Amino acid sequence: MPRDAILDLSARTQVALLFERHPLHASPGIEWRNYRTTAGTAEYQRGVISLSRSLIIDEERLRDTILHEYAHLLAFQRFGVKGKGHGPAWREAMAELGAEPEVRHQYECQRNEKRQIVIYRCIRCGKQIQRRRRLPRRTTFVHLKCGGRIKFLESVVATPQPSLS
């Protein structure tokens, strides 16, 4: 049986066991997505747990991610809008499921590269300010340090950084 099929079967089994022990209004569905940096998401309204095809590569990652996302659905069912996010309701649900309330995974993944560097200059003090994105046009922005207006200078294509792995 291919690895993807094994992980899918395991995911559905784990969700069924969680649903048996910690019932929701309806058993959550499982969807596999092409997420590059997100291990999983919980869709509150649809009652679906979405998992990353590229990051969920073994049983340990699968279990941790399903517990994390199931806790989101559990917290939302119990507390409504106040249960969204990684606040006290979610932390309580994680503790009930017997898991550590880790907000972010530590899996190796491919992050987005900087594509450009946008350079601005303060008209008053001359300080150069670098950003990753251009500020909206037809709006005045001021330098926080001196209060002078900042003016667009140039946009430079960023050079890719060498990987440390």
Side-chain angles (χ1 to χ4, degrees):
M1 187 182 261
R3 181 189 67 139
D4 291 350
I6 292 169
L7 287 174
D8 186 60
L9 180 61
S10 181
R12 293 177 191 287
T13 304
Q14 287 180 41
V15 167
L17 288 171
L18 285 168
F19 182 70
E20 194 175 291
R21 293 181 187 134
H22 308 276
L24 298 170
H25 293 305
S27 181
I30 297 289
E31 292 180 356
W32 292 88
R33 302 280 174 91
N34 293 323
Y35 298 145
R36 288 184 310 121
T37 59
T38 301
T41 59
E43 296 180 38
Y44 303 112
Q45 301 302 327
R46 292 180 49 218
V48 170
I49 294 174
S50 298
L51 301 168
S52 168
R53 283 186 183 98
S54 60
L55 293 180
I56 307 300
I57 57 173
D58 58 35
E59 288 288 333
E60 182 182 358
R61 288 183 180 191
L62 178 65
R63 184 195 55 201
D64 292 346
T65 304
I66 285 181
L67 285 172
H68 180 110
E69 302 311 334
Y70 196 90
H72 279 297
L73 297 175
L74 199 57
F76 182 74
Q77 178 176 295
R78 292 178 178 170
F79 298 96
V81 177
K82 290 182 180 181
K84 284 186 173 185
H86 297 107
W90 175 79
R91 291 180 186 282
E92 180 182 309
M94 286 291 283
E96 184 180 323
L97 297 175
E100 287 293 319
E102 296 291 329
V103 174
R104 289 180 178 80
H105 67 77
Q106 299 298 316
Y107 312 147
E108 212 173 284
C109 57
Q110 182 182 354
R111 300 275 176 197
N112 290 338
E113 298 277 333
K114 286 185 182 179
R115 288 177 277 216
Q116 68 177 351
I117 297 170
V118 183
I119 303 170
Y120 291 87
R121 176 179 288 140
C122 174
I123 295 173
R124 182 178 289 167
C125 70
K127 169 111 171 115
Q128 282 197 1
I129 301 160
Q130 291 187 3
R131 295 180 41 88
R132 291 178 85 174
R133 294 188 180 140
R134 193 162 178 162
L135 293 168
R137 295 184 175 129
R138 297 189 190 100
T139 305
T140 302
F141 292 91
V142 295
H143 184 206
L144 289 175
K145 303 281 186 200
C146 72
R149 263 191 41 217
I150 61 171
K151 180 180 175 184
F152 172 76
L153 281 183
E154 64 180 325
S155 179
V156 181
V157 175
T159 56
Q161 299 297 317
S163 174
L164 297 175
S165 50

